[in-house]
Amino acid sequence: MENLLVDDYLKLLAGWQDPNPAPVIEEYDGVSVVRDDLLNYGSKIRFIDYFVGHAEENRDVEEWVFGSCPATGYAQISLPVVCSKYGKKAVLFMAERSMDKLHNYQKRGIELGAEYHWVKMGMLNVTQSHARKYVEKSPSTRRVLPLGLEHETVLASIIKVAQDLPIKPDAVWSVGSSGTLSRGLQLAFPDAEIHVVQVGHTMKENEIGRAIHHISPYKFDRPVKEKEMPPFPSAPTYDAKGWKPMMDYYETHDKPQNILYWNVAF
């Protein structure tokens, strides 16, 4: 995968065009911000559209199964939206919670039609194991989504969407856990300086890629303090954690003319 060139990635999409409204870009404090919070379902509805709905290899898949989503994860919102669009089912295996303590994103996932399987002692490796075993019962109609929803065509979709933006950035910022978005942006903008702010597990070298790596001081499930929130709607446990590190960075480093900040969701 890492050896593919940008043109090779784009060829995988077979002429696909993002069916969603074009990303809105607004400027805040001299930074161009991709306002995908305005999509209501997050950037992933762009990036997994081809993979779920168009890829020939997935034509017979009826259920997309994911065991790697935390309670605060936006995949549980994006996935059922795209699955519903193409007549598929989104199936999630997640750590068990009492129904009165569900995260708002989990409540939204249920409203959007995701099927939840609650797992006792639901550590990540346990929920992933349950997801794999579920798929093994019907491997021709069920498919497990990889951690970070990473796939060659997902990276290709990130490249396509990013290169269609009306901006050629000198620097690009995003937050990262698996780093899928950041590495897609690294491919889309080979001449730009890329920054990723770690908000989840300790990112590995292959997840960071060529990005300048920053680490959020917040624990994964802790929201950003109100005074550190960016000046636009942003997921407080995820995208919002990148804004202050970026602003702090440019207090001691030269600020490029064209900075792009990717806000995935709210």
Side-chain angles (χ1 to χ4, degrees):
M1 183 183 301
E2 290 80 1
N3 294 325
L4 289 180
L5 300 174
V6 169
D7 286 346
D8 295 326
Y9 276 105
L10 294 176
K11 287 176 183 176
L12 298 174
L13 299 180
W16 172 85
Q17 294 289 329
D18 178 13
N20 299 286
V24 173
I25 299 178
E26 295 182 348
E27 186 172 318
Y28 299 86
D29 299 329
V31 176
S32 296
V33 178
V34 173
R35 291 285 312 277
D36 262 1
D37 55 285
L38 298 173
L39 275 178
N40 295 321
Y41 309 116
S43 295
K44 286 185 175 67
I45 66 170
R46 305 185 188 279
F47 304 149
I48 64 173
D49 184 86
Y50 177 87
F51 182 59
V52 170
H54 300 274
E56 182 64 24
E57 66 192 86
N58 299 326
R59 182 181 59 183
D60 296 327
V61 176
E62 298 174 4
E63 299 180 55
W64 283 103
V65 185
F66 198 40
S68 306
C69 188
T72 56
Y74 226 81
Q76 62 192 318
I77 295 171
S78 302
L79 184 59
V81 169
V82 178
C83 283
S84 177
K85 179 178 180 179
Y86 294 108
K88 317 283 186 179
K89 181 191 290 186
V91 181
L92 299 160
F93 286 82
M94 299 184 71
E96 186 175 42
R97 288 187 173 198
S98 60
M99 297 305 288
D100 61 337
K101 292 184 179 179
L102 293 182
H103 190 277
N104 285 337
Y105 291 176
Q106 293 175 313
K107 294 177 182 177
R108 286 193 67 189
I110 292 171
E111 292 171 357
L112 291 167
E115 179 181 296
Y116 283 77
H117 293 244
W118 304 108
V119 180
K120 293 182 179 180
M121 303 297 290
M123 299 291 288
L124 180 61
N125 63 332
V126 177
T127 56
Q128 290 174 332
S129 175
H130 278 257
R132 288 193 299 269
K133 290 176 181 177
Y134 179 79
V135 168
E136 288 169 0
K137 294 177 181 178
S138 183
S140 62
T141 62
R142 297 171 180 170
R143 191 74 49 84
V144 171
L145 283 157
L147 180 66
L149 305 183
E150 181 167 342
H151 185 267
E152 291 173 338
T153 62
V154 174
L155 288 169
S157 300
I158 295 171
I159 295 168
K160 171 66 176 170
V161 172
Q163 289 190 338
D164 284 346
L165 295 175
I167 181 174
K168 187 176 181 181
D170 302 308
V172 180
W173 286 74
S174 67
V175 301
S177 181
S178 65
T180 304
L181 173 59
S182 177
R183 280 176 284 111
L185 296 174
Q186 291 170 36
L187 291 162
F189 302 118
D191 298 324
E193 183 177 270
I194 308 293
H195 297 258
V196 63
V197 180
Q198 175 184 302
V199 296
H201 68 275
T202 300
M203 296 178 72
K204 300 175 183 176
E205 186 176 343
N206 65 302
E207 294 173 324
I208 297 169
R210 66 176 179 88
I212 297 172
H213 180 224
H214 310 264
I215 301 175
S216 169
Y218 290 94
K219 291 183 178 180
F220 178 65
D221 61 348
R222 296 294 94 189
V224 170
K225 295 177 182 177
E226 186 64 33
K227 65 180 181 180
E228 296 182 3
M229 285 288 290
F232 48 84
S234 186
T237 59
Y238 198 69
D239 299 290
K241 293 178 179 176
W243 189 258
K244 187 175 187 299
M246 178 180 66
M247 290 296 155
D248 289 347
Y249 181 82
Y250 289 125
E251 288 183 2
T252 56
H253 294 76
D254 292 337
K255 192 173 183 179
Q257 181 175 355
N258 296 311
I259 305 172
L260 184 70
Y261 186 93
W262 202 289
N263 192 54
V264 170
F266 172 62

